[in-house]
Amino acid sequence: MERNTKREDAKYLSRSTTGYLKVGSLKDYTTLVQPKRHLTSSLGRRSAAQQNVKHHSTLGRTGAGLLSPALLAKRSKSTRKLRTQLAQGGGGTINLGKSSLSVRRANTMRGAPGAKTKYVDYTENPEDAPEPLPPKIVYPKVEDGDSNALTITIILVDGRRLELSVTPSFSGYDLFLKMADEINLFQFDVFWLVSMKDGIEQWLDPTEPIAKQSMVNDSPLYLRVRWFKTYFKLVDTTALYLFYLHITQMIVSGAYPVSDKVAIRLAAISIQLNYGDFVRTKHKPGFFSKEILGSFLSSRALESMNMDYLQTRIFSFHRRLKGMEAPDLQALYLTISRESFYWGVTWFSGKGERVGLGEDGLFVQAPSGPGFVYVPMEDVRSVEYTSKKLKLKSKSETHDISVSHNVGKSFVELFAGYYIVLVRQATAGCFARHLPEKYQSLKMAAIPDFRVFMRPKIREIEGEGGTSLDILKASYTKLCGASKVNPVPRFLLQVENRLDNEEILDIVDVKKCNLSDSDLRIVVDAFKETKNKSRRKGILPNLDVFHLLLSHNQLSDGELAGTLIRVCSPQVVELSHNSLDSVAAKNLFALLLKTKLKELDLSHNPIGDQGLAEIVSAYSSQVCSLVTLNLSKTTLSAASSQELMKIVSGGNFSQLQSLDVSENELGDSCIKGMFDSIRNIEDSSSFDLKFLNVTNTSFGLVAARAVVECLRKHNNFLGFRTAYNTIDDDLGFELGRLLLRPNTMEIVDVGFCSFAQRASYAFISELDKASSLTELNLSGSYINKQGIRHLADCLKKNRSIVKLGLRFCSLKKEAFVALADAFNNNDTLATIDLASNDLTSSTAARAFGDSLGHAQHRTIDEEAKSVISELNLSDCGIGRKSMEELVEGLSRNESLTRLHLDGNPLRVRGFRALALAVRDHRILKVVTCQSTEVDSRDIIEFTKKIGTKTPLEILDVRKNSIIATPEFLQALQSIDRLSVIFDRPTGSDLTIRIQSRIQGQGQRE
């Protein structure tokens, strides 16, 4: 039977759930490799007298580097045909001397190109290699009705059974070629057939008839990868698929051990192949059972990590494989799997020990311990076997392994085959000359075509300590084990994700991890050990912390935090919402003196006046490197006046550009002293403070006058927040002119400062000049009709404001209509707060809804007209009618992601209308409806209306009459990704996160 090499519709093996083979199509290839030729040489048998004879041949090196031994063959002068000296039974020796190699033809071997064929090495640039094409495959034809025909069953790598009809005269090679033709396998050099005898795999003899190899009807053979070589180009999808499956089995069985990082990557690739693209709403921890993961991971990897943690890591890499085709994924799997030090090793079992053989060397049992010693090919001197022993001699020692005859014979044949390929590559495709007159041959008709493979790559041990993060992970897990505490999952996951993705760890984020001082001490010790060990030669640096986020924990030891900062050397540190007091502040800043820290957040810590005094004292004789300092809500009082005056007046804090002292009871005297200090700075060039936040610091008119006087002299601020303080209308008018007139201000927050219409109009009238302003908060100010019209006109022209706050400004129908028109013509506003105004008018609601729906009319060629992503309409009196008017526009909106409707009397019909808008919206993720007079039945109806494909992730319905009945919980289960937050009977919050793949519910506080 013959197959055309340029056949357009070649067959290939594809996966089928039926257990049989299917056919598909494969692209035509244009460049031929040399066709494989059937072995035609005759082989002799060994006599009984020859059974115990040892045969020797000499192989060696040239001055050009490594040259592997040539084919151990003898060409008889009389017959010019290969003869075997090692056949079934007996023993033999391969001696590897140091004689030189040169040219001698050996054309009779399958695929041997002779002296004129050169090996072109494309190892460095495999893309330059010629494209392989299916060769002609010739094997005997079996006539229909042949009474001598046998049925041979071949079990493929994936377990599929292929039944072939052959005759007893078929050689092993004929059978292999027919199998390859049936499954359309044309890059078949690396594969061969194996039989099982007494539990031992034995390779099929390529030259002997199958009848002489005990093959009978239904005799099972197994397709295996015999030669673990790397093609320049592996384009045969069947070969790629089978090779991938074989390597997968070796990885999962543990024969090729890999690190956790590599195991995670390989499992993610297999999951992509078997389950398709990553889906965020489906592929979450808990999706796979341990049994399913066991088909992708070795037992060691499964036992080394928590199941949820393991799946989190797998999915983090799985999401990056989206859209990749099966051949690309299989090739990627083969590439990554090569990071195993034992990749490509064939293991042979002896009596109580194992020996491995790869294309580049041997693996023998270590003298002590369970490991193996790697012996490169160039160090091997001889390989000898008898019926009971395999003796391996290297430059330094001899290894004796007790094996059966069949195991020894298979080992020597495989060893010789690898050597043949290596020596042909090293001698550009030719055999050695000056070989002894009597040299031996093995039955190696199935030697792969050396011209299509890369040279072996140097094996590199993938062990711990290769990078700084490897050291950090090992140190941290070791210290946790010694302290008998569980590692912090988020921290460990960040380290391992960076290792998995081969990225630098630049952010350490352990916010809200309930860290105690003892937990932090382990982290500190791990970083110390990592820093010391990373100085060793050969350690790759991949640890460069820029952000250190420790907020919302239970830390009280400032010395520990300071030590971690000194070791990590970050630029930005967050320590807010901890328990750092004045003593902790003193210890912290004592360690920060020699750091180059730029941003520090200490907000929501009980530092107090004494703690601030310690901070200022620490920098009494040294310039502070901080650019940003956040002391919001740190229990400061008027007693901190002197320290704050020193900070804002420059001196050793001259590099400070942003200071936040909000939410502290500072009072008039302290705030006045701060701004007087700023005003008294004679050299304004030395004043670098750009952003100042004194929100809710309990100052009144005395301090307000000092603020105005200061701004008249020094108005270099870029951001100024003074909300929730008392500033009268006249001072507010002056403040508006001073803040916005310089045309450099970026942030102005004067919300709830008791502004009347004169002060608010001063801010609005300057907006047309404020081209740098990005945030404006006028909440709590009275704005008359003239002010609203002017504000609307300014917003139509303004192209800088991103955030606008108009909460509690007594806005009514006319104001909403005017603002709606402005929003239609504005393309920068992203966050709008209009809470606590009056939107009961249907006309105003319709106009406002139309402005939200205006985003639908955008095209690629048109200018964007609405980019509003967050809208707050809480406490606006929105009922059923207003909601119904808003819905039409909301349904067409394509920019909104967060919508706040708390405190509106939506009731049943308003909530029903909202469901229609959510159903049609494409990107809305968060809706808050606290205190909207709805109950459990309304929520059930809401979930039915929005459907299962909604992008909505959070629905907050706290402060409503919600009872978690079985019907209510069952309704929530229909939404794949939705989290519904409602009150328990005790008043605490309960989140029910429903996932379609999980029965029941979990809770998130």
Side-chain angles (χ1 to χ4, degrees), residues 727-884:
I727 304 176
D728 65 16
D729 207 33
D730 292 334
L731 290 173
F733 176 82
E734 194 71 22
L735 192 62
R737 297 296 181 93
L738 291 170
L739 288 177
L740 297 182
R741 187 162 290 179
N743 195 25
T744 57
M745 192 66 70
E746 297 176 4
I747 299 172
V748 172
D749 183 358
V750 290
F752 299 97
C753 286
S754 306
F755 288 167
Q757 75 177 48
R758 185 165 181 261
S760 59
Y761 188 77
F763 282 90
I764 293 172
S765 62
E766 298 293 336
L767 279 181
D768 54 352
K769 306 183 186 71
S771 59
S772 300
L773 192 66
T774 60
E775 179 181 343
L776 176 63
N777 184 14
L778 293 174
S779 297
S781 303
Y782 174 73
I783 306 176
N784 59 17
K785 294 180 180 180
Q786 181 184 0
I788 286 294
R789 286 195 295 269
H790 193 79
L791 175 61
D793 291 339
C794 290
L795 290 176
K796 290 178 183 179
K797 303 173 185 177
N798 186 279
R799 292 297 180 268
S800 63
I801 298 180
V802 175
K803 187 175 182 179
L804 178 64
L806 296 174
R807 175 194 291 259
F808 203 32
C809 289
S810 303
L811 305 182
K812 296 186 179 180
K813 175 182 175 181
E814 296 80 2
F816 275 99
V817 173
L819 289 174
D821 183 46
F823 297 157
N824 281 339
N825 295 277
N826 184 285
D827 60 1
T828 59
L829 275 171
T831 303
I832 302 175
D833 186 355
L834 295 171
S836 301
N837 289 292
D838 185 358
L839 192 55
T840 56
S841 167
S842 299
T843 302
R846 185 183 310 114
F848 201 78
D850 288 342
S851 70
L852 293 175
H854 198 66
Q856 182 197 22
H857 304 296
R858 290 180 297 168
T859 65
I860 295 177
D861 300 324
E862 291 179 341
E863 183 181 6
K865 296 299 182 182
S866 176
V867 293
I868 301 173
S869 59
E870 183 169 3
L871 177 62
N872 190 348
L873 293 176
S874 300
D875 297 302
C876 285
I878 300 174
R880 173 183 62 84
K881 292 183 178 180
S882 297
M883 193 69 244
E884 290 173 349

Side-chain angles (χ1 to χ4, degrees), residues 171-354:
S171 66
Y173 194 56
D174 291 331
L175 177 61
F176 178 79
L177 290 178
K178 183 168 185 178
M179 177 220 65
D181 190 49
E182 287 292 325
I183 65 175
N184 200 60
L185 175 67
F186 71 87
Q187 282 186 282
F188 48 70
D189 299 80
V190 299
F191 299 97
W192 197 245
L193 298 173
V194 66
S195 61
M196 296 292 294
K197 293 185 178 180
D198 299 326
I200 298 175
E201 291 186 350
Q202 185 170 335
W203 297 105
L204 189 67
D205 191 310
T207 59
E208 290 285 353
I210 60 174
K212 295 183 179 180
Q213 300 187 58
S214 303
M215 292 289 105
V216 296
N217 271 329
D218 299 323
S219 295
L221 292 172
Y222 301 87
L223 182 64
R224 295 282 191 269
V225 176
R226 186 177 192 183
W227 310 101
F228 289 89
K229 304 290 294 182
T230 303
Y231 284 95
F232 291 132
K233 286 186 177 179
L234 182 54
V235 298
D236 183 351
T237 54
T238 303
L240 178 60
Y241 170 62
L242 295 174
F243 208 150
Y244 153 76
L245 286 179
H246 189 101
I247 296 298
T248 301
Q249 292 172 6
M250 302 301 282
I251 294 289
V252 173
S253 67
Y256 294 167
V258 295
S259 66
D260 289 344
K261 177 186 74 173
V262 174
I264 292 296
R265 287 185 167 194
L266 297 180
I269 294 171
S270 294
I271 287 171
Q272 175 72 14
L273 281 164
N274 287 274
Y275 291 87
D277 289 341
F278 173 81
V279 179
R280 187 167 64 91
T281 59
K282 180 173 66 173
H283 294 137
K284 300 176 181 179
F287 181 78
F288 292 113
S289 65
K290 190 171 183 179
E291 290 72 21
I292 293 177
L293 282 181
S295 60
F296 307 130
L297 290 162
S298 67
S299 58
R300 187 202 64 80
L302 276 177
E303 298 300 329
S304 66
M305 288 174 277
N306 172 272
M307 285 296 294
D308 286 349
Y309 180 78
L310 176 62
Q311 292 186 54
T312 300
R313 290 186 64 189
I314 290 175
F315 289 136
S316 69
F317 189 74
H318 179 205
R319 70 176 69 228
R320 301 171 59 188
L321 304 173
K322 187 174 183 179
M324 289 186 66
E325 298 293 334
D328 296 327
L329 290 166
Q330 292 160 3
L332 180 62
Y333 191 101
L334 294 179
T335 300
I336 295 177
S337 67
R338 290 186 70 93
E339 294 190 32
S340 171
F341 184 70
Y342 297 100
W343 193 94
V345 175
T346 302
W347 295 104
F348 296 85
S349 297
K351 297 180 180 179
E353 56 183 326
R354 292 195 304 167

Side-chain angles (χ1 to χ4, degrees), residues 89-121:
T93 302
I94 301 174
N95 279 351
L96 314 176
K98 296 184 178 180
S99 62
S100 62
L101 296 177
S102 60
V103 177
R104 184 180 183 90
R105 293 192 180 184
N107 296 4
T108 53
M109 294 299 295
R110 181 189 67 83
K116 294 183 179 180
T117 301
K118 301 294 184 181
Y119 172 70
V120 182
D121 188 3

Side-chain angles (χ1 to χ4, degrees), residues 50 208 495 601 699 763 985:
Q50 294 175 307
E208 290 285 353
V495 173
D601 184 356
F699 72 79
F763 282 90

Side-chain angles (χ1 to χ4, degrees), residues 942-972:
F942 182 91
T943 58
K944 291 179 180 178
K945 286 186 177 295
I946 64 176
T948 58
K949 297 182 179 181
T950 176
L952 190 65
E953 296 178 359
I954 296 176
L955 176 64
D956 187 349
V957 288
R958 286 174 291 184
K959 300 179 183 178
N960 285 292
S961 301
I962 307 297
I963 301 175
T965 62
E967 183 184 5
F968 173 76
L969 297 177
Q970 184 178 4
L972 298 187

Side-chain angles (χ1 to χ4, degrees), residues 579-684:
S579 303
L580 302 176
D581 56 14
S582 59
V583 176
K586 178 181 178 180
N587 296 332
L588 172 64
F589 277 86
L591 291 167
L592 297 186
L593 292 177
K594 296 182 180 180
T595 66
K596 296 182 179 180
L597 186 63
K598 297 299 182 184
E599 299 182 21
L600 178 61
D601 184 356
L602 291 173
S603 61
H604 296 265
N605 282 287
I607 291 174
D609 299 323
Q610 184 60 37
L612 182 59
E614 298 289 353
I615 294 173
V616 175
S617 176
Y619 292 101
S620 60
S621 59
Q622 182 178 329
V623 175
C624 179
S625 64
L626 288 175
V627 174
T628 300
L629 178 60
N630 189 344
L631 297 172
S632 175
K633 205 166 186 178
T634 50
T635 64
L636 303 181
S637 69
S640 296
S641 177
Q642 293 298 318
E643 284 71 24
L644 289 174
M645 288 168 62
K646 291 178 182 179
I647 292 175
V648 299
S649 61
N652 288 340
F653 291 88
S654 59
Q655 296 186 31
L656 194 65
Q657 296 182 13
S658 177
L659 176 63
D660 187 346
V661 292
S662 61
E663 305 293 337
N664 289 295
E665 296 289 334
L666 301 180
D668 261 343
S669 61
C670 185
I671 297 297
K672 182 180 182 301
M674 289 175 61
F675 282 94
D676 285 345
S677 297
I678 296 173
R679 181 167 58 85
N680 292 332
I681 297 175
E682 295 182 1
D683 184 7
S684 60

